[in-house]
Amino acid sequence: MGINLSPIRTLRARTALRLVLLSDTHQFHREVEVPDGDILIHAGDFTMFSRSMAAITDFNTWLGELPHQHKIVIPGNHEFFLEADPSQRSLVSNAAVLINEGIEIDGLRIWGSPVTPLYGGAFGLSSAADRRRVYARIPEDTDVLITHGPPFGILDSGTDPGLHSGCRELFDAMMRVGPKLHVFGHVHGGQGIFQTDHTTFVNAALLDIHGDLDKSPLVFRMTRR
């Protein structure tokens, strides 16, 4: 399976899937210019602490207005409404909502988790053993891994490059699985791309450390199986 990040206008191959990656829109979704693509992936924090049901409804409406054939959303640490009652994923009916589970689209095996080490946040697991148990469920044949938070040491710093807020247990799981693409957000100001021989890591957070929308979604090309 070949993958590479490319400018939008170069993504023309019929055999390629265009993945549009974004995260941490925090109710600014209407202000985002979303590129065309086949699969839209939102890696969490589309609300502000789930305080506004109107904003949640509008986010779902916005998703339905986008042309992408497939849309995937995972919750973030702000999505308390989904932590309290997972059945409320029906409020985001215009996307597949993944909560520690997977889906296959056009031959791509995709797995998503909202878990972070953040104490007090939605889906926060402060116990390393608990996080390890969750990540042990990631299938080894996963092509695309979506988590809200980053793995330790990879695009997990904001203004201080010496301060890492990523998860060590997620890093260990990622090393075991070796996905082609790992998409996450959570760390504002950390948007970027990091590549190894096996995995491309994308922090797709759109807000900066001050809470301003200053980034755009990234487009990723992945060849079909």
Side-chain angles (χ1 to χ4, degrees), residues 3 25 32 69 92 95 99 101 107 121 131 176 194 219 221 223:
I3 53 176
T25 50
V32 179
Q69 183 178 3
V92 190
I99 303 177
E101 59 195 316
R131 295 195 302 275
R176 170 182 63 83
F194 179 78
V219 176
R221 183 174 70 183
T223 53

Side-chain angles (χ1 to χ4, degrees), residues 85-218:
D85 183 1
S87 71
Q88 289 200 81
R89 69 175 72 196
S90 61
L91 297 174
V92 190
S93 58
N94 288 317
V97 178
L98 301 182
I99 303 177
N100 301 321
E101 59 195 316
I103 190 173
E104 183 169 326
I105 296 176
D106 286 340
L108 294 184
R109 293 179 286 266
I110 302 168
W111 202 89
S113 174
V115 168
T116 71
L118 184 64
Y119 177 79
F123 299 99
L125 292 178
S126 56
S127 164
D130 288 343
R131 295 195 302 275
R132 195 175 297 114
R133 278 191 288 270
V134 169
Y135 298 139
R137 295 162 54 186
I138 305 173
E140 293 192 0
D141 61 354
T142 297
D143 298 308
V144 180
L145 177 61
I146 312 166
T147 58
H148 181 56
F152 183 84
I154 299 177
L155 302 172
D156 66 340
S157 299
T159 55
D160 184 354
L163 180 63
H164 297 285
S165 58
C167 176
R168 293 182 184 274
E169 290 68 38
L170 177 57
F171 178 88
D172 292 343
M174 180 277 306
M175 291 295 290
R176 170 182 63 83
V177 174
K180 301 296 184 183
L181 173 66
H182 184 184
V183 186
F184 48 88
H186 186 49
V187 178
H188 295 191
Q191 190 199 58
I193 301 159
F194 179 78
Q195 292 180 297
T196 68
D197 291 341
H198 304 289
T199 303
T200 297
F201 301 87
V202 178
N203 181 330
L206 299 192
L207 268 61
D208 64 15
I209 58 172
H210 305 293
D212 296 321
L213 184 69
D214 73 337
K215 297 293 191 298
S216 299
L218 297 169

